[in-house]
Amino acid sequence: MSKLEVLHFPDPRLRKKAIPIEIIDSNITTIAENMLETMYDEAGIGLAATQVNIQKRIIVIDVSEERDQPRVLINPKIVSSEGIEQMQEGCLSVPGYYDDIERAEKIKYSYLTEEGELIEEDADGLLSVCIQHEIDHLDGKLFIDYLSPLKRQRLLKKIDKQERAQAL
Ligand code: GNR
Ligand code: NI
């Protein structure tokens, strides 16, 4: 197992669209293992392959308190959604920034397991938010894209300032 480097906004590679996985082989299961190690090491509740510069549709998640329920979702899709809810979000690719984001409250989602089994399930609460956040990553989208223009402008300025300071 090896820990992978997590890309940080505004890295343009975070905007790439991930490609569906056609064959689940040892290459894919190794990627999943390394993503889980990276997610636990960074204390995240989810991680999308896009964040570790892999353009494949695979995400890992663990929303359990004990952090002992690793899940690997291949080619995850939102099948349907209902309701609206607001939750405070953060992202390993936008360290140190948290804000309330509106998303669908309940979702029906599908994915392939590492064994190639097609699963369809319902989610609400934190799991629902996390799956929507991770699928967004696979499409090159970040939670900060949903901010109001004013909040977004403030954040971009702050990050720009941090980058300049670091370059010195
Ligand atoms: O660790 C994470 N916490 C989190 C909290 C609220 C909504 C979404 C998330 S996902 C984030 C890890 C991450 O950046 N995944 O892409
Ligand atoms: Ni994220």
Side-chain angles (χ1 to χ4, degrees):
M1 292 231 285
S2 44
K3 205 201 150 198
L4 307 168
E5 188 193 333
V6 177
L7 303 178
H8 287 176
F9 177 83
D11 194 311
R13 292 172 291 182
L14 287 168
R15 298 304 185 179
K16 291 192 184 174
K17 200 171 152 67
I19 290 160
I21 291 166
E22 290 186 5
I23 300 163
I24 303 168
D25 53 15
S26 65
N27 175 38
I28 298 299
T29 52
T30 300
I31 288 172
E33 284 296 299
N34 292 339
M35 284 176 62
L36 282 168
E37 183 181 347
T38 307
M39 177 186 76
Y40 285 124
D41 197 75
E42 302 268 344
I45 59 168
L47 186 73
T50 309
Q51 292 176 279
V52 290
N53 197 29
I54 295 171
Q55 285 79 43
K56 296 182 195 296
R57 300 193 77 85
I58 177 167
I59 67 179
V60 295
I61 289 179
D62 188 342
V63 293
S64 71
E65 287 280 332
E66 298 77 19
R67 311 209 38 78
D68 59 356
Q69 285 170 53
R71 300 186 53 192
V72 176
L73 280 59
I74 295 169
N75 298 342
K77 288 188 188 85
I78 308 289
V79 176
S80 64
S81 59
E82 61 176 88
I84 300 172
E85 119 185 291
Q86 227 184 43
M87 203 181 275
Q88 191 183 64
E89 296 196 22
C91 182
L92 296 174
S93 296
V94 192
Y97 187 78
Y98 305 88
D99 215 329
D100 287 344
I101 301 293
E102 265 185 13
R103 294 193 187 267
E105 181 188 10
K106 294 179 180 178
I107 59 168
K108 190 179 287 291
Y109 65 105
S110 71
Y111 62 97
L112 294 173
T113 65
E114 286 178 284
E115 290 73 38
E117 190 183 356
L118 178 63
I119 310 273
E120 196 172 280
E121 285 167 350
D122 295 309
D124 59 16
L126 187 59
L127 179 61
S128 166
V129 169
C130 188
I131 289 170
Q132 294 176 70
H133 177 115
E134 303 310 340
I135 292 177
D136 268 356
H137 274 303
L138 299 181
D139 292 323
K141 210 165 164 62
L142 298 168
F143 84 103
I144 56 173
D145 298 345
Y146 297 108
L147 296 174
S148 70
L150 182 64
K151 277 190 173 178
R152 192 178 159 75
Q153 207 48 44
R154 279 198 200 125
L155 175 63
L156 294 183
K157 266 195 184 152
K158 192 179 117 192
I159 290 172
D160 190 59
K161 224 175 169 178
Q162 284 171 353
E163 284 204 319
R164 282 165 199 264
Q166 224 167 20
L168 290 179

